Amino acid sequence: MSGRFFFGFLLSFMMIFQSFVSNEALHPYHVGSVEINYSSKSKTFEVTGRFFLDDLENGLGKKYGGTYHFNDGKYKTKLNDALQKYCQEYFKLKADNKFLKVNYVGYEEDQESVNVYLESEPVTNPKKVEAAVSFLYNLFDDQINIIHIIVNGDRKSEKMTYPNRYMFKTF
């Protein structure tokens, strides 16, 4: 079973479970995933973060104040601005000991989850990849982020639990 499929299954299961519990209890787990995929075609890292919608709304609200609502078009500009700043602070990427500039591309929402898209500046054939990932650590002290780094089809994964945020892999 692939990591992406497993996370999708786990996230779907937790969302179904959440619908059976009261709104006050919300979901019992705080988990997200980040896939960092090197594209040999564009020579960039294409990054997808997937998080529970309510967790990300609350994380942005705690960090920047105010109210954020996905699935409501009137918040789209506010969400894009906040996500751009949030991603810049809570996600860092290095390849071969050089920090890469990572650009916020946008987001897509589902009923219960949000995909956040980022892309790095170009880099040629990275051998060592380091990531600092701390999404939602500002909100939960039990946050788990499952990180996947894929370079030329070689996939390496790690479960990061608060407060651990650093991952490095060689390819």
Side-chain angles (χ1 to χ4, degrees):
M1 181 180 315
S2 77
R4 177 182 265 181
F5 175 79
F6 176 74
F7 178 73
F9 173 79
L10 180 64
L11 194 58
S12 297
F13 173 77
M14 287 189 299
M15 288 175 189
I16 291 168
F17 178 77
Q18 177 183 354
S19 68
F20 290 108
V21 297
S22 73
N23 284 340
E24 291 178 23
L26 297 176
H27 51 86
Y29 300 102
H30 303 114
V31 64
S33 75
V34 178
E35 183 173 285
I36 305 164
N37 190 13
Y38 180 71
S39 168
S40 56
K41 183 177 181 180
S42 66
K43 304 236 182 277
T44 62
F45 284 97
E46 297 167 348
V47 181
T48 302
R50 185 175 174 106
F51 307 97
F52 282 108
L53 182 142
D54 61 324
D55 290 349
L56 199 49
E57 288 172 343
N58 293 330
L60 294 173
K62 183 175 181 182
K63 179 70 178 171
Y64 303 113
T67 304
Y68 295 85
H69 293 292
F70 291 99
N71 294 319
D72 186 339
K74 71 181 181 181
Y75 287 92
K76 190 150 186 85
T77 299
K78 184 178 180 181
L79 282 165
N80 273 313
D81 292 343
L83 284 169
Q84 182 174 10
K85 290 188 292 188
Y86 193 83
C87 291
Q88 187 175 23
E89 182 172 346
Y90 291 100
F91 181 81
K92 306 288 185 201
L93 188 63
K94 285 172 78 174
D96 300 323
N97 299 316
K98 177 187 178 269
F99 276 103
L100 298 176
K101 181 177 184 198
V102 178
N103 297 308
Y104 171 77
V105 176
Y107 72 91
E108 270 183 327
E109 52 205 32
D110 201 333
Q111 287 188 341
E112 299 291 332
S113 65
V114 176
N115 288 337
V116 178
Y117 301 107
L118 309 169
E119 185 175 33
S120 77
E121 67 181 292
V123 61
T124 304
N125 297 321
K127 301 293 182 223
K128 180 180 178 184
V129 180
E130 300 172 72
V133 181
S134 54
F135 289 113
L136 298 173
Y137 282 11
N138 72 310
L139 188 61
F140 301 116
D141 63 3
D142 64 347
Q143 177 69 28
I144 298 167
N145 288 316
I146 300 166
I147 315 302
H148 308 284
I149 300 176
I150 305 156
V151 175
N152 298 323
D154 187 5
R155 178 188 192 96
K156 299 186 179 185
S157 302
E158 197 166 314
K159 179 177 91 171
M160 310 284 280
T161 56
Y162 178 89
N164 298 326
R165 64 189 71 216
Y166 300 106
M167 175 179 176
F168 71 92
K169 299 294 179 187
T170 54
F171 294 87

